Amino acid sequence: MLRECWAFRGFILASVKRDFVSRYLGTQLGFFWAIAQPLALILIYTVVFSSIMKPALAGHASRYAYSIYLCAGILVWQLFSDLLNRSVGVFIHNASLLKKVNLPKLALPIVVTLSGLMNFAILLALFCAFMLVIGAFPYAAALAFVPLLVLVVAFAIGLGVLLGTVNVFYRDVEQSTAMLLQFWFWLTPIVYPARTLPGIMADLLAWNPMWPIVRFAQTIFVEDRVPDWSTLLYPAMVACVLLALAMFAFRNLSGEIVDEL
């Protein structure tokens, strides 16, 4: 399947470019819309929660500690939710293309991944610029952010392709996923620090695979250190299982996708 996708690399790159340009072509503010939504979230949550959550981040002298904590969490969550949302509907939204062109279906999730990473790169560049301006950029620890992003992409694409394949046959999956992500966001310590949760709630939410991923990113940027890599074993195992299930479902049902569409 990967060899077939490589043969269509020209189509994949052109699709990524077209998707990126079409999002902002004809708008007055252009590429600003790539950062508008996450920027609005950060501003709202910072204004509303900064004074409330400041005591929970005790030990951090910087007045930007909560903003950095919030930005690091939203940055990772934005990549995960964007890839997952777009992967779930990738086959449905490209039904006409799949019916007309004989291309490997796996090329579509690859287009989604590359396009999502391009949008994420803009947000990451702005966040890094902010960290440099305030003199809080974690030069050594920042390298650990790269393998973390690989894990986030693997987790999102594994779950997205699995749900996207099922979505072809049961169209409620896409709508359910969008609603699930709203609950999932608040069940992940992005806006609030994990230490504010009561013991029982913390034990239950520890099963959330996004929790250690977000906490890893927040530790890098807020505390300027690399957390224990063993904390990522659980989400890594979940990501591997989801990727295996996604490939199993895709290989067994790919022949029926076009007929069902």
Side-chain angles (χ1 to χ4, degrees), residues 68-190:
I68 296 172
Y69 177 91
L70 184 62
C71 288
I74 287 182
L75 198 67
V76 172
W77 179 262
Q78 189 72 17
L79 175 61
F80 170 73
S81 61
D82 183 39
L83 291 180
L84 178 56
N85 261 325
R86 299 178 64 190
S87 297
V88 171
V90 68
F91 300 121
I92 298 294
H93 299 161
N94 292 278
S96 59
L97 180 64
L98 290 173
K99 293 176 182 178
K100 295 176 182 178
V101 182
N102 185 22
L103 79 160
K105 300 177 187 66
L106 193 61
L108 296 177
I110 293 176
V111 170
V112 166
T113 303
L114 294 178
S115 180
L117 287 173
M118 285 185 65
N119 293 324
F120 173 78
I122 297 174
L123 297 175
L124 181 61
L126 291 173
F127 179 54
C128 290
F130 166 70
M131 296 288 288
L132 288 169
V133 168
I134 66 174
F137 188 80
Y139 290 96
L143 294 176
F145 194 58
V146 177
L148 182 69
L149 293 182
V150 175
L151 176 57
V152 173
V153 171
F155 183 26
I157 294 301
L159 182 57
V161 172
L162 176 61
L163 295 178
T165 304
V166 176
N167 187 49
V168 173
F169 304 93
Y170 302 97
R171 304 296 174 91
D172 293 331
V173 172
E174 186 174 2
Q175 304 301 325
S176 302
T177 301
M179 185 173 63
L180 172 65
L181 281 172
Q182 297 181 35
F183 288 98
W184 201 341
F185 175 83
W186 289 105
L187 294 175
T188 307
I190 298 172

Side-chain angles (χ1 to χ4, degrees), residues 208-229:
N208 174 5
M210 281 302 294
W211 188 336
I213 291 175
V214 169
R215 184 170 53 193
F216 197 94
Q218 290 166 336
T219 302
I220 290 174
F221 290 103
V222 177
E223 301 181 14
D224 192 8
R225 67 179 179 87
V226 179
D228 188 350
W229 288 101

